Amino acid sequence: MRLTDKDKIKELETLQNNNVLMTDNNYKELKLGKLENIEDELGIELITLFKAQTQGFYIINVLNEIEKVKLSEWRFNLIKKEVHRIKWNKHLSFTDYGKTWALTKEELENDN
């Protein structure tokens, strides 16, 4: 759920680039808007991505089993918005959260 308006964020970025004095609330909204823009581009919340990095995550592997993995076993491809596991040549799209990968085993079990 997006909390900021994309057009307003563009306006605030223009103000910041032109060194116009802004209120604290405008700076906060600009910061949040920039983070939301990244999330929109990636197709996943940044919090979910960081939790996956620190806690690991579950996948449905090539044997159609649910397996817990660590992000260190994967490579990020931010251009394709996916992670790639060399071991099995497996790709997971960020936007497939809850379908092919999740932070908890239960999320994948409930979907299957």
Side-chain angles (χ1 to χ4, degrees):
M1 173 179 74
R2 190 167 179 103
L3 300 174
T4 61
D5 180 87
K6 287 183 180 184
D7 292 331
K8 184 168 182 189
I9 298 308
K10 287 179 187 176
E11 292 173 16
L12 291 174
E13 284 178 328
T14 301
L15 292 175
Q16 186 180 43
N17 292 338
N18 291 322
N19 295 319
V20 174
L21 189 60
M22 294 190 296
T23 65
D24 286 346
N25 284 338
N26 282 343
Y27 279 113
K28 291 173 186 175
E29 188 171 2
L30 177 60
K31 180 73 170 189
L32 177 59
K34 286 180 178 182
L35 293 172
E36 288 181 322
N37 288 346
I38 292 169
E39 290 177 341
D40 287 348
E41 187 177 327
L42 292 176
I44 189 170
E45 289 187 0
L46 292 172
I47 292 171
T48 302
L49 214 46
F50 285 109
K51 282 183 179 179
Q53 179 183 6
T54 58
Q55 300 170 6
F57 56 100
Y58 291 86
I59 65 164
I60 298 174
N61 66 24
V62 294
L63 302 174
N64 208 29
E65 301 168 337
I66 295 176
E67 171 189 2
K68 184 163 186 177
V69 296
K70 294 180 181 179
L71 198 56
S72 60
E73 301 170 358
W74 298 73
R75 286 193 187 159
F76 272 103
N77 187 334
L78 295 178
I79 295 169
K80 291 185 178 180
K81 300 173 183 89
E82 66 182 17
V83 289
H84 173 246
R85 190 175 193 188
I86 300 165
K87 181 178 174 182
W88 292 332
N89 196 29
K90 177 139 177 106
H91 298 268
L92 296 174
S93 172
F94 292 161
T95 57
D96 284 342
Y97 181 81
K99 298 174 192 154
T100 59
W101 72 280
L103 294 177
T104 67
K105 187 176 185 177
E106 294 74 26
E107 289 174 280
L108 291 178
E109 289 173 337
N110 292 339
D111 198 48
N112 289 334

